Amino acid sequence: ERFINELNGNNTLIAEYLTDEVLQQLSNEERTFLLQTSVLTKLNSSLCEQITGITNSNEILMKISKANLFLLSIDDKGLWYRYHQLFRDLLFNRLQNNYPEKVICLHKEASLWYEKNNLLDDAIYHSLESDDFDQIGFLINKNGLSLLLRGDINNLKRLISLLPENILKKYPYVCICLGWIDCLTNQLEEVGKYIGFAEKILEKADKFDKVTTTEVNLHIELLKVYYYSLYHKGSHEYFSHCIELL
């Protein structure tokens, strides 16, 4: 690892030679494992199994780790690993060159695993790598209000900024979150637009069940109340009164 750390752009041929040497020591399954998991910035056995379909992923990870094949442990429990960056780059280049059609599928599978395990930023990272903006919209729509309630406004705003407007207009909670962000940061110029987007989405009632429609409507009305209260000199008494009326 110390040696590979000292390699730079002028030593790419040496690094590629080392990669060849590593791969030749492994079985076909293990080589496939290394190439496909190179899409990951960090890896554990469950995640690797999800994206590769290789059921003995944990055994392969253990073997690679014990053989010191540029795999670094990144937690105290020995569950999470990462490849040395140069080694990962070389593996990923080979994956792209030899199996370009696999790259998007692998990223999508990684995003699904991270979503299932409630790791939103990682799920969005892999959706972004596969240009799956619809999945990013889905993830923010599902998790945005939780981020808002935790006060994670800057991160939420950053995530929403990744979305083109045509995706934004598909997801009501994304629009509602944007409205709240602008209200809470006192930038009111476009709040009405976001409320309008959310209401238009609800007009396509066949997309949602009755419970979802009711919940989204309630959130729209709450946002409206707060938004309108800001025009009454920011009166919190007015806001509280409107909440009681709801």
Side-chain angles (χ1 to χ4, degrees):
E1 180 191 342
R2 182 178 176 182
F3 176 71
I4 202 170
N5 272 329
E6 294 173 355
L7 295 176
N8 55 38
N10 297 323
N11 302 112
T12 303
L13 289 176
I14 297 175
E16 289 180 348
Y17 170 78
L18 287 174
T19 303
D20 283 333
E21 288 295 302
V22 167
L23 294 177
Q24 286 174 12
Q25 299 174 41
L26 304 175
S27 67
N28 287 335
E29 182 181 58
E30 290 163 346
R31 283 194 290 272
T32 298
F33 178 91
L34 283 176
L35 289 175
Q36 293 189 358
T37 56
S38 68
V39 303
L40 303 172
T41 57
K42 57 187 177 182
L43 49 160
N44 67 24
S45 58
S46 175
L47 173 56
C48 292
E49 184 174 332
Q50 168 89 21
I51 74 166
T52 66
I54 296 174
T55 56
N56 61 329
S57 291
N58 190 56
E59 293 174 19
I60 295 175
L61 278 174
M62 293 299 100
K63 177 179 178 178
I64 295 170
S65 179
K66 288 177 182 178
N68 294 317
L69 299 182
F70 310 122
L71 184 70
L72 311 174
S73 177
I74 59 174
D75 71 337
D76 295 335
K77 297 180 180 180
L79 298 177
W80 284 96
Y81 298 86
R82 69 170 179 85
Y83 292 122
H84 185 284
Q85 188 60 50
L86 179 56
F87 184 60
R88 179 185 172 229
D89 290 344
L90 290 167
L91 289 173
F92 185 67
N93 285 338
R94 291 187 180 210
L95 178 68
Q96 280 189 310
N97 291 334
N98 297 327
Y99 309 100
E101 74 285 351
K102 287 289 294 181
V103 175
I104 288 178
C105 295
L106 292 166
H107 278 301
K108 286 186 175 183
E109 286 299 319
S111 180
L112 291 174
W113 187 92
Y114 278 119
E115 178 199 348
K116 185 171 62 177
N117 287 274
N118 300 312
L119 295 165
L120 178 63
D121 282 346
D122 293 301
I124 287 178
Y125 166 79
H126 285 285
S127 290
L128 193 58
E129 288 295 300
S130 59
D131 292 328
D132 193 349
F133 291 101
D134 197 62
Q135 177 67 2
I136 296 173
F138 170 80
L139 290 168
I140 298 172
N141 195 65
K142 180 180 176 183
N143 297 281
L145 287 178
S146 296
L147 290 177
L148 193 67
L149 290 171
R150 292 205 304 264
D152 200 358
I153 291 177
N154 290 334
N155 187 38
L156 179 57
K157 188 173 183 178
R158 176 185 64 82
L159 295 175
I160 294 176
S161 72
L162 300 172
L163 299 175
E165 190 169 285
N166 66 308
I167 299 295
L168 177 69
K169 289 178 177 180
K170 291 178 64 177
Y171 294 101
Y173 283 121
V174 177
C175 301
I176 290 166
C177 284
L178 267 177
W180 277 112
I181 289 170
D182 281 359
C183 280
L184 295 171
T185 55
N186 202 31
Q187 300 176 39
L188 305 179
E189 293 80 6
E190 295 195 309
V191 176
K193 179 179 79 171
Y194 299 136
I195 291 172
F197 285 171
E199 289 177 328
K200 284 183 180 178
I201 295 167
L202 273 193
E203 288 174 4
K204 302 174 182 178
D206 56 313
K207 290 180 61 177
F208 307 105
D209 58 43
K210 186 174 181 180
V211 173
T212 302
T213 301
T214 302
E215 289 176 352
V216 173
N217 258 321
L218 176 59
H219 282 286
I220 291 172
E221 293 306 313
L222 286 171
L223 175 58
K224 278 183 178 179
V225 167
Y226 190 75
Y227 172 51
Y228 296 147
S229 77
L230 295 177
Y231 284 102
H232 289 72
K233 300 180 181 179
S235 169
H236 292 289
E237 290 79 8
Y238 176 81
F239 177 59
S240 299
H241 173 65
C242 290
I243 291 293
E244 289 174 5
L245 292 178
L246 288 173

